[in-house]
């Protein structure tokens, strides 16, 4: 199974980044780091065949592919990952190769989230938008099999993405994990856990 998550943020700003106050000095890049760890790792190990695309309004699109990282060197805690990600963003903006970081396998793209979604529609991915008002995930998951290619789109912190007209025009399936609101990182873990149970 090929599994991809899309996460978007319009708040991330690393211009005043300080490792001693990551939430307050990065525009909540810590939330993004938590999502990356939830997607790519289980416990202390990297998963296989999972990508997470991070769409940052101010900095571009960053593609993390679990198969491209070293299990030994990938930063598996939130503080380390955030610090290396900040280095990588700065390096990308300056178009420099150094300093090297454990995240150098990350791919950078100028694709917007909507263009990226359209690309995956053409690649015949099953695409789902996480939305509390969507279909019950169990009904959908029970019809899946291990050869499926799945893309899950998580809303941003503001909720603007889920209400975006361009997203609605794509007529994608809305999927609900229940009536409760979950953090994006928890949503990712729940999706992975339920896929393992039901497929």
């Amino acid at each position: 199974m090929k599994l991809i998550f899309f996460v978007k943020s319009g708040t991330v700003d690393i211009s005043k980044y300080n490792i001693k106050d990551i939430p307050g000095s990065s525009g909540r890049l810590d939330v993004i780091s938590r999502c990356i760890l939830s997607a790519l790792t289980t416990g202390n190990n990297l998963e296989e065949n999972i990508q997470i695309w991070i769409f940052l309004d101010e900095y571009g699109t960053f593609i993390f592919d679990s198969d491209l990282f070293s299990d030994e060197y990938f930063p598996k805690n939130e503080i380390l990952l955030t610090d290396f990600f900040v280095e990588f963003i700065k390096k990308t903006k300056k178009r420099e190769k150094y300093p090297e970081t454990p995240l150098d396998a990350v791919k950078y793209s100028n694709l917007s989230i909507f263009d990226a979604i359209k690309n995956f529609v053409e690649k015949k991915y099953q695409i789902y938008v996480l939305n509390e008002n969507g279909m019950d995930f169990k009904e959908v998951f029970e019809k899946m099999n291990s050869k499926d290619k799945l893309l899950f789109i998580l809303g941003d912190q503001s909720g603007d993405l889920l209400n975006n007209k361009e997203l609605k025009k794509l007529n994608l399936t809305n999927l609900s994990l229940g009536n409760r609101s979950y953090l994006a990182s928890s949503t990712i873990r729940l999706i992975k856990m339920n896929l393992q149970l039901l497929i």
Side-chain angles (χ1 to χ4, degrees):
M1 176 177 285
K2 190 71 180 175
L3 187 55
I4 299 177
F5 296 96
F6 277 11
V7 177
K8 184 178 180 297
S9 175
T11 64
V12 169
D13 179 357
I14 60 169
S15 59
K16 296 178 181 175
Y17 172 73
N18 182 339
I19 195 171
K20 293 179 180 177
D21 179 21
I22 292 173
S25 68
S26 68
R28 297 314 308 262
L29 186 57
D30 58 309
V31 172
I32 301 298
S33 294
R34 224 167 286 143
C35 288
I36 295 166
L37 290 172
S38 294
L40 300 188
T41 66
T42 296
N44 290 319
N45 299 311
L46 280 172
E47 297 267 35
E48 293 181 356
N49 294 324
I50 297 183
Q51 290 182 9
I52 181 166
W53 291 46
I54 304 298
F55 298 86
L56 303 180
D57 286 3
E58 295 298 317
Y59 301 102
T61 301
F62 299 85
I63 304 160
F64 290 72
D65 185 332
S66 64
D67 295 338
L68 299 180
F69 293 109
S70 158
D71 200 36
E72 184 179 354
Y73 296 111
F74 185 81
K76 297 188 182 85
N77 77 60
E78 194 179 304
I79 294 172
L80 265 182
L81 177 61
T82 304
D83 208 43
F84 283 126
F85 194 12
V86 168
E87 282 294 322
F88 187 82
I89 293 170
K90 287 178 177 175
K91 190 169 69 167
T92 303
K93 287 212 54 116
K94 293 176 184 174
R95 298 184 181 179
E96 295 175 351
K97 290 185 178 179
Y98 300 96
E100 292 181 357
T101 79
L103 300 185
D104 284 348
V106 173
K107 294 177 183 173
Y108 176 77
S109 171
N110 287 315
L111 272 182
S112 73
I113 191 166
F114 302 111
D115 288 336
I117 292 168
K118 289 169 189 171
N119 284 352
F120 281 103
V121 168
E122 290 176 8
K123 292 176 182 176
K124 307 297 183 189
Y125 269 70
Q126 296 177 45
I127 303 176
Y128 302 98
V129 179
L130 273 295
N131 188 330
E132 287 173 36
N133 300 316
M135 291 177 62
D136 182 359
F137 76 96
K138 286 181 183 173
E139 290 178 39
V140 177
F141 282 16
E142 283 169 355
K143 295 173 185 174
M144 294 177 179
N145 66 65
S146 60
K147 293 181 180 177
D148 286 337
K149 298 186 291 186
L150 308 175
L151 168 58
F152 294 94
I153 301 164
L154 284 73
D156 53 8
Q157 295 108 310
S158 65
D160 291 343
L161 179 61
L162 293 182
N163 296 315
N164 188 285
K165 289 180 182 177
E166 196 168 351
L167 184 66
K168 289 181 177 178
K169 276 182 193 174
L170 294 170
N171 204 27
L172 303 171
T173 302
N174 283 269
L175 201 65
S176 172
L177 294 177
N179 296 325
R180 289 180 58 188
S181 290
Y182 294 101
L183 296 171
S185 54
S186 299
T187 299
I188 291 170
R189 288 200 187 279
L190 282 168
I191 289 169
K192 285 170 52 181
M193 183 179 71
N194 281 289
L195 284 172
Q196 289 168 351
L197 288 172
L198 296 170
I199 296 177

